[in-house]
Amino acid sequence: TASTPPSYKIIDGKLYRNSSECRHFSARCSGVEHYLLRAAPRMSRNVEFVINVADYPLVPETPLRPAPVMSFSKSDGRHRDVLYPTWSFSQGGPCLHPIYSNGIGDWNGTRQQLLAVAQAHPWSNKTDVAFFRGSRTSQERDAVVLLSLAKPELFDARYTKNQAYKSAADTLNLEPAPYVSLPEHCKYRYLINMRGVAASFRLRHILLCGSAVLHAVDKNSNWREFFYPAMRPWIHYVPLLPNLRDAEDKLLFLRANPDWAKRLAAEGAHFIDKHLRDSDVACYWLRLLRRFSRLLSYDATLRDNMRPV
Ligand SMILES: *[C@@H]1O[C@H](CO)[C@@H](O)[C@H](O)[C@H]1NC(C)=O
Ligand SMILES: *[C@@H]1O[C@H](CO)[C@@H](O)[C@H](O)[C@H]1NC(C)=O
Ligand SMILES: *[C@@H]1O[C@H](CO)[C@@H](O)[C@H](O)[C@H]1NC(C)=O
């Protein structure tokens, strides 16, 4: 369902939205507006902007002057969207029935929950395999399921059903696995992150587990969210090739160097715990909007169809 992304204005410290455009994704719009409403009174210039609340970015890499659209994720080198912190820091999808029927939002609560579960499952108590559960939102993920079939003693990876599940082909002809909540991931010593439709929402969650995160990144088409560039490979996570050809060697390296692996896991958790708090997300939003407003060469004013939020 192609729909026009919602457009917003902040005029004299108040937030307005073109009300015709949040029908499909009302929870996502609310999730974004939570932060826009906090930033609005602190804006010294009026501003207008377009927020893409769908999963996929909208601005292709072209030599032409790009349209300024904000999206939660993009692939470097392929898209020129301006990145904003996803709606799900507050509320909105992805939704998984029945474990996340209202979406995985509420980062404040989820962070606390993950940190508590991480304490209950210290490194010494985690299962010594690399774990993945997710749906086939990208064929790139096939690599991890296939690896698990070939090396079950090292990898435990299965597809779950997604909302668009049609046939067994969507789970590589295997029985769809039950959903596993994000806190349950913390029981495993190594956790694998792979892109889905866009960057995977799970990354910030699984990093908090205190498990070593193996994160598939390709330097030429890196799917990312706004905070990824602040993280360092081999410090906060272990980078993997998207085809996972290096995954077995790297996992064996981690198993052979448990003190090192444990420290990497702790650094990853510490990074998210200390630098991706709700206040950090709100701060990013405010700076984003202030910088964006300074780029406007005209004064944004109200027109028809804009309603106060
Ligand atoms: C609001 O959205 C409608 C439908 O997409 C569009 O035609 C209209 O120009 C928008 N109005 C403003 C003020 O952006
Ligand atoms: C998170 O908690 C802080 C402090 O209580 C609160 O100000 C903020 O609005 C909360 N964020 C969300 C997304 O609910
Ligand atoms: C370790 O794992 C067991 C079984 O999953 C659990 O009951 C226990 O509370 C865990 N935590 C610690 C600190 O041993």
Side-chain angles (χ1 to χ4, degrees):
T1 46
S3 65
T4 323
S7 53
Y8 289 91
K9 292 189 188 195
I10 295 173
I11 308 288
D12 297 333
K14 290 202 175 60
L15 179 67
Y16 298 85
R17 181 180 83 194
N18 188 336
S19 57
S20 62
E21 297 167 344
C22 272
R23 285 176 311 235
H24 299 288
F25 289 125
S26 60
R28 293 182 179 196
C29 285
S30 306
V32 165
E33 287 159 13
H34 173 89
Y35 291 99
L36 297 181
L37 286 166
R38 281 159 75 178
R42 304 181 62 189
M43 293 293 292
S44 47
R45 284 199 63 178
N46 293 341
V47 62
E48 64 180 315
F49 47 94
V50 174
I51 295 208
N52 169 25
V53 286
D55 290 334
Y56 206 78
L58 287 176
V59 188
E61 179 71 47
T62 70
L64 302 174
R65 227 172 131 186
V69 174
M70 299 187 189
S71 298
F72 99 89
S73 168
K74 67 176 170 183
S75 168
D76 282 329
R78 273 193 270 173
H79 307 112
R80 293 172 73 173
D81 304 56
V82 176
L83 291 183
Y84 71 83
T86 170
W87 52 86
S88 73
F89 280 105
S90 167
Q91 58 171 293
C95 302
L96 293 178
H97 304 288
I99 57 172
Y100 294 109
S101 299
N102 299 317
I104 63 162
D106 182 25
W107 182 233
N108 275 340
T110 315
R111 282 180 74 243
Q112 293 313 318
Q113 193 191 3
L114 284 163
L115 290 167
V117 176
Q119 272 206 331
H121 290 278
W123 185 261
S124 57
N125 200 15
K126 292 181 195 280
T127 307
D128 200 32
V129 298
F131 185 78
F132 174 87
R133 285 293 180 281
S135 65
R136 197 177 187 224
T137 42
S138 154
Q139 287 180 21
E140 271 180 35
R141 291 180 167 186
D142 290 358
V144 71
V145 176
L146 295 172
L147 196 55
S148 165
L149 294 176
K151 302 273 173 183
E153 69 286 7
L154 294 176
F155 297 90
D156 178 351
R158 285 289 184 277
Y159 275 137
T160 57
K161 278 188 185 181
N162 70 11
Q163 284 147 339
Y165 183 85
K166 286 190 208 71
S167 69
D170 290 330
T171 43
L172 292 188
N173 296 312
L174 300 167
E175 191 62 28
Y179 292 130
V180 172
S181 73
L182 289 158
E184 282 179 80
H185 281 66
C186 301
K187 293 178 187 165
Y188 299 88
R189 197 168 281 168
Y190 316 98
L191 296 170
I192 295 181
N193 188 62
M194 302 195 76
R195 64 163 286 208
V197 175
S200 171
F201 290 95
R202 85 190 58 208
L203 182 59
R204 63 185 147 100
H205 297 87
I206 62 178
L207 279 163
L208 274 180
C209 279
S211 305
V213 171
L214 297 114
H215 172 45
V217 274
D218 175 350
K219 65 177 173 359
N220 297 317
S221 62
N222 183 18
W223 279 95
R224 65 178 175 94
E225 296 180 68
F226 79 100
F227 63 92
Y228 288 20
M231 296 190 300
R232 293 288 168 263
W234 297 109
I235 293 179
H236 301 113
Y237 62 87
V238 173
L240 292 182
L241 294 170
N243 62 20
L244 301 193
R245 225 174 285 158
D246 55 349
E248 184 181 349
D249 282 350
K250 285 176 176 167
L251 181 57
L252 291 174
F253 168 80
L254 294 173
R255 279 181 148 194
N257 297 278
D259 291 342
W260 191 89
K262 187 178 163 183
R263 196 159 63 235
L264 173 126
E267 289 289 341
H270 185 262
F271 173 83
I272 299 293
D273 184 26
K274 295 291 179 268
H275 303 296
L276 203 59
R277 300 160 303 176
D278 178 77
S279 55
D280 303 314
V281 175
C283 174
Y284 180 94
W285 264 116
L286 183 61
R287 287 188 178 197
L288 170 64
L289 294 173
R290 282 184 174 160
R291 280 175 73 170
F292 191 81
S293 74
R294 288 200 292 271
L295 296 174
L296 292 190
S297 56
Y298 58 93
D299 195 30
T301 53
L302 277 179
R303 279 180 288 136
D304 304 342
N305 285 333
M306 298 299 266
R307 296 265 176 279
V309 176

